[in-house]
């Protein structure tokens, strides 16, 4: 079974735009105002919309109208697995996470009630999503090849792109939180790389995310302390381990993305 009706793939430009747009939602993980907003909504009996299942159902309907239900189901599953990677690592660190919440057209996020106290923990929490999501995509892709299941093959290939995109070294992507644990200076070329990528794909929404990324950089180098400033710095040993894991994950997903297309 294909992931797109009428044997058509979703347009490359629209898919990349949707994937790029989706991960701006990671900013919401650290927005206490959002948590207050959701708590207030629950009091007026419509907070279920923002619950894990309720938001998933709404997002499924949204993506179904755009791409059809097979691809919508695939995208929801990939986003859920990715976010559960974050969730499980947060749980292991006793950060008290909530279940994944889906935002139609923007992806999904996992909010946590306790913030990491070290940049090392923040980096591993960020890396857990693409790691778990990437491994799940490998399983789907290889299973599809062995069983000649076109839907699983295309699901895995989509997962490779989705999780690789998330490793861009610029906030609000996971990669931005990873490299921030190494050096905040790495976020500067990361922001310019994201801007170049947005022009390469002619994506207005990616340009908007690039602006968000530059704002994040300005905040880090500004006079006012940020959340990053309150976190404990990363040791040289931890920086080495994070770097090895980050580069290895990017290399693996980049190769798989290439191999699954050619």
């Amino acid at each position: 079974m294909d992931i797109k009706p009428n044997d058509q793939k979703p347009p490359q430009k629209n898919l990349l735009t949707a994937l790029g747009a989706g991960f701006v939602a990671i900013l919401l993980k650290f927005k206490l105002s959002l948590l207050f907003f959701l708590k207030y909504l629950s009091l007026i009996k419509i907070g279920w919309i923002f619950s894990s299942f309720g938001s998933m159902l709404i997002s499924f309907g949204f993506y179904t109208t755009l791409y059809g239900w097979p691809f919508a189901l695939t995208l929801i599953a990939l986003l859920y697995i990715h976010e559960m990677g974050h969730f499980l690592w947060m749980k292991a660190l006793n950060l008290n996470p909530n279940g994944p919440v889906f935002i139609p057209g923007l992806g999904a996020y996992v909010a946590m009630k306790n913030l990491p106290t070290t940049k090392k923990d923040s980096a591993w929490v960020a890396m857990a999503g693409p790691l778990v999501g990437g491994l799940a995509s490998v399983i789907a892709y290889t299973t599809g090849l062995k069983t000649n299941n076109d839907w699983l093959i295309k699901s895995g290939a989509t997962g490779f792109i989705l999780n690789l995109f998330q490793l861009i070294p610029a906030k609000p992507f996971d990669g931005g939180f990873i490299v921030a644990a190494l050096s905040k200076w790495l976020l500067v070329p990361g922001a310019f790389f994201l801007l170049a990528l947005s022009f390469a794909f002619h994506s207005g929404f990616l340009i908007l995310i690039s602006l968000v990324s530059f704002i994040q950089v300005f905040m880090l180098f500004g006079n006012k302390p940020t959340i990053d400033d309150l976190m404990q710095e990363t040791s040289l040993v931890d920086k080495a381990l994070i770097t090895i894991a980050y580069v290895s994950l990017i290399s693996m997903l980049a190769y798989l993305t290439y191999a699954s297309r050619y």
Side-chain angles (χ1 to χ4, degrees), residues 8-29:
Q8 295 179 357
K9 294 182 179 179
Q12 183 73 7
K13 180 179 176 182
N14 291 341
L15 174 59
L16 290 172
T17 301
L19 295 178
F23 302 115
V24 72
I26 195 174
L27 284 177
L28 301 177
K29 294 177 180 177

Side-chain angles (χ1 to χ4, degrees), residues 3 20-22 54 69 79 87 90 113 119 130-131 148 181 193 195 215 256:
I3 62 174
W69 73 264
L79 289 172
F87 177 90
M90 292 176 188
K113 296 179 182 178
K119 293 182 179 180
L131 175 61
N148 198 28
F193 173 76
L195 182 62
I215 291 174
L256 291 172

Side-chain angles (χ1 to χ4, degrees), residues 18 30 32 63 69 75 90 98 118 122 139 142-144 150 157 167 173 216 223 231 256 259:
F30 303 105
L32 298 179
Y63 294 126
W69 73 264
L75 186 57
M90 292 176 188
N98 296 321
T118 67
S122 177
I139 294 173
T142 54
T143 302
D150 194 45
L167 289 172
F173 295 99
Q216 292 284 306
N223 295 325
M231 294 182 184
L256 291 172

Side-chain angles (χ1 to χ4, degrees), residues 119 122 171 176-177 180-181 184 187 220 225-233:
K119 293 182 179 180
S122 177
K171 292 184 177 181
F177 291 89
K184 64 181 182 180
L187 292 171
L220 282 176
T226 64
I227 294 176
D228 286 33
D229 295 324
L230 302 177
M231 294 182 184
Q232 180 182 330
E233 292 294 333

Side-chain angles (χ1 to χ4, degrees), residues 60-198:
F60 176 74
F62 176 81
Y63 294 126
T64 297
T65 60
L66 294 178
Y67 306 117
W69 73 264
F71 182 74
L73 180 63
T74 299
L75 186 57
I76 290 294
L78 290 171
L79 289 172
Y80 182 81
I81 294 172
H82 176 100
E83 293 303 326
M84 283 305 295
H86 294 307
F87 177 90
L88 292 174
W89 204 273
M90 292 176 188
K91 201 75 173 177
L93 294 175
N94 295 317
L95 298 178
N96 200 7
N98 296 321
V101 173
F102 292 77
I103 303 177
L106 293 177
Y109 71 95
V110 174
M112 47 186 163
K113 296 179 182 178
N114 303 323
L115 297 180
T117 58
T118 67
K119 293 182 179 180
K120 173 192 71 173
D121 288 344
S122 177
W124 288 117
V125 165
M127 201 178 310
L131 175 61
V132 172
L135 292 176
S137 299
V138 169
I139 294 173
Y141 188 78
T142 54
T143 302
L145 290 177
K146 291 181 179 180
T147 60
N148 198 28
N149 187 310
D150 194 45
W151 177 59
L152 285 176
I153 292 174
K154 292 183 178 180
S155 296
T158 302
F160 298 150
I161 298 175
L162 185 151
N163 288 284
L164 178 62
F165 215 71
Q166 185 64 290
L167 289 172
I168 293 175
K171 292 184 177 181
F173 295 99
D174 286 332
F177 291 89
I178 296 171
V179 300
L182 306 176
S183 172
K184 64 181 182 180
W185 288 97
L186 293 175
L187 292 171
V188 177
F192 280 104
F193 173 76
L194 179 58
L195 182 62
L197 203 62
S198 65

